[in-house]
Amino acid sequence: MEYGRRRGPLLRIRGVSVAWLPPLLLLVGVVLLDFNTGEKFRIITWIVLVPGIAAAICGVWTTAAYSVLSVVTYVLVDSAWPDQYQAGFGDFLLVALGGTLATLAAVVRVRQERYAGHMRDIAETTRRTVLRPLPSRWAGLEHAGVYLAADVDARVGGDFYDIQPGPHGTRVLVGDVQGKGLGAVETAAALLGTFREAGFHETDLRTVAARLETRMRRHRAHTAALGRDDGDRFATAVLVAFPEGTTDAIDVMNFGHEPPLAVGRLGVRELPAGDGLPLGLGDLAGGPPTVHRVRLATDETLLLVTDGVTEARDKPGEFYQLAREVSRAVRADPRRAEPRRLVRRVRDGVLRHAGGCLEDDTTIFAVRRLSGDAGTSGAAGAGGAAGWEAPGAGGSGAGRVQGG
């Protein structure tokens, strides 16, 4: 496969690869200079750079073709000079050896790129398994979310979020697993799997919370039995229910997580803080946290973030002031309370505040009820047992806003 097909816009013109052009221009330039610098300063040997440049930006066969072309061009150009001014057989060997090494280098580079692409595909599959794509309008809700991985290559970490509609209303879960690496990813996947089942089947939100707590403990016990050092892992989370028949209130359970914000045209309100312990530590508190019934108007957006947002620091070490920045943005333009615009505004603000360097995984998730016919159609789209698990149409990605 030609590497030029996978390069960025600098090596494409109207979608057509031009990776072959720089080596060709260099070859022509060397030939012209050799004929114009005179017999006392021959530079035809510089043609060895041509396959070297091709090896960096072209595919294997293109590099091999330039290697052969460089040798043939060297012979033709050098033979055009009188015998006493010819570069000679030694430089011919240099050009031939350079072309051979360039071709081998291209082989190694292309293999590494294919391996890297394969690993990116695996990371993308893992991300889509943990953070499944969600329709932008789902079960009467409009949402937008963005996930920024501190490890850009990993693309997924311990942050998680999901929406689960069901016969008892729609539930939303946003959380952050303590620690990093594959262990955090596995824990997030375990909690999300439990949430998707319990959020659908269980009538009481407290029962959903109890199932999540039990799953966290079972997962820890399993990893400990495998000899892994995950015995103290826990997860902060916010569990939200949008009850059926209620249009101006939600139920919130906070497991030691950042308090959600209600963002509307009139300003920003902070909802109840985390009065419960994180998932996995519930036995220390004697039970799950309190279920808070709080007001959320139809035109208000619920904003949930992980600590990658609130703990983002600038160069002087100041934390990002989420509520203050969101309030300022909404006052300047009330339309920024819409989920997609709100998520984009927070994402850009955090990246700008941190200078583009995030030290922790960062999730920004915004959701609000759809009003009128849109809300009805959104709920209808999730109707029926099969409809609750319909495949998502939207795409999520590290750094890309998901949702409508």
Side-chain angles (χ1 to χ4, degrees):
M1 178 175 60
E2 289 292 328
Y3 178 56
R5 297 178 184 174
R6 301 180 63 182
R7 296 292 288 181
L10 289 179
L11 292 178
R12 290 180 179 271
I13 297 178
R14 296 182 179 179
V16 179
S17 172
V18 292
W20 52 269
L21 186 57
L24 180 61
L25 293 177
L26 178 60
L27 186 146
V28 173
V30 169
V31 172
L32 292 177
L33 283 175
D34 186 69
F35 279 120
N36 287 276
T37 53
E39 66 277 0
K40 294 183 178 180
F41 185 65
R42 298 290 312 283
I43 67 167
I44 188 58
T45 309
W46 292 13
I47 207 170
V48 72
L49 297 175
V50 172
I53 296 298
I57 61 177
C58 298
V60 175
W61 290 109
T62 302
T63 302
Y66 271 116
S67 299
V68 174
L69 181 60
S70 296
V71 172
V72 173
T73 302
Y74 172 85
V75 173
L76 294 177
V77 173
D78 198 42
S79 299
W81 288 85
D83 293 343
Q84 64 270 29
Y85 299 126
Q86 291 181 2
F89 184 71
D91 288 348
F92 168 81
L93 289 179
L94 176 63
V95 173
L97 180 61
T100 302
L101 294 177
T103 303
L104 293 176
V107 171
V108 173
R109 195 204 80 244
V110 169
R111 286 181 178 176
Q112 289 178 339
E113 287 171 353
R114 288 176 178 172
Y115 175 77
H118 179 63
M119 296 305 296
R120 283 193 296 268
D121 290 342
I122 293 176
E124 180 67 12
T125 301
T126 302
R127 182 190 63 78
R128 292 176 66 87
T129 300
V130 176
L131 300 177
R132 62 177 179 176
L134 297 170
S136 59
R137 294 171 178 244
W138 181 230
L141 300 179
E142 175 187 5
H143 79 89
V146 65
Y147 176 80
L148 303 172
D151 184 348
V152 178
D153 293 329
R155 298 180 62 85
V156 68
D159 288 4
F160 57 91
Y161 61 84
D162 202 3
I163 298 175
Q164 181 57 57
H168 311 294
T170 301
R171 278 77 184 260
V172 175
L173 179 67
V174 175
D176 180 8
V177 176
Q178 176 264 336
K180 299 181 184 296
L182 291 178
V185 177
E186 290 176 355
T187 303
L191 290 174
L192 284 173
T194 298
F195 167 71
R196 289 161 186 165
E197 290 299 313
F200 178 88
H201 291 287
E202 301 297 343
T203 304
D204 190 358
L205 194 64
R206 294 180 181 85
T207 305
V208 178
R211 292 275 299 275
L212 290 170
E213 174 69 23
T214 301
R215 186 68 182 95
M216 186 71 209
R217 295 185 193 178
R218 289 175 55 204
H219 181 74
R220 272 195 328 215
H222 176 258
T223 55
L226 293 175
R228 289 162 44 183
D229 188 19
D230 287 352
D232 58 349
R233 194 179 295 277
F234 58 85
T236 64
V238 177
L239 181 60
V240 181
F242 290 80
E244 289 286 347
T246 303
T247 60
D248 60 352
I250 58 174
D251 294 329
V252 180
M253 297 183 72
N254 196 320
F255 301 85
H257 197 76
E258 303 290 334
L261 298 179
V263 183
R265 294 176 178 272
L266 300 180
V268 177
R269 296 184 293 115
E270 185 175 289
L271 301 189
D275 53 357
L277 293 179
L279 294 170
L281 304 179
D283 54 337
L284 301 179
T290 305
V291 178
H292 295 276
R293 173 64 63 92
V294 297
R295 181 178 65 84
L296 186 71
T298 304
D299 62 347
E300 284 187 310
T301 297
L302 186 66
L303 176 63
L304 304 107
V305 302
T306 58
D307 57 9
V309 173
T310 55
E311 295 182 3
R313 297 173 182 258
D314 58 11
K315 288 185 178 180
E318 296 293 330
F319 290 111
Y320 180 73
Q321 300 298 321
L322 175 63
R324 184 188 67 191
E325 295 299 325
V326 170
S327 297
R328 183 181 301 169
V330 172
R331 283 198 304 267
D333 183 1
R335 293 177 300 175
R336 286 178 175 163
E338 299 173 3
R340 190 174 182 86
R341 295 189 181 198
L342 181 59
V343 166
R344 184 184 297 114
R345 177 65 181 82
V346 175
R347 177 198 63 186
D348 295 345
V350 170
L351 290 174
R352 184 167 51 250
H353 182 81
C357 181
L358 298 175
E359 297 182 357
D360 196 5
D361 296 333
T362 300
T363 294
I364 308 161
F365 192 74
V367 60
R368 73 175 177 183
R369 289 185 177 90
L370 289 167
S371 59
D373 295 338
T376 303
S377 62
W388 301 118
E389 295 292 343
S396 65
R400 186 174 66 251
V401 177
Q402 167 189 301

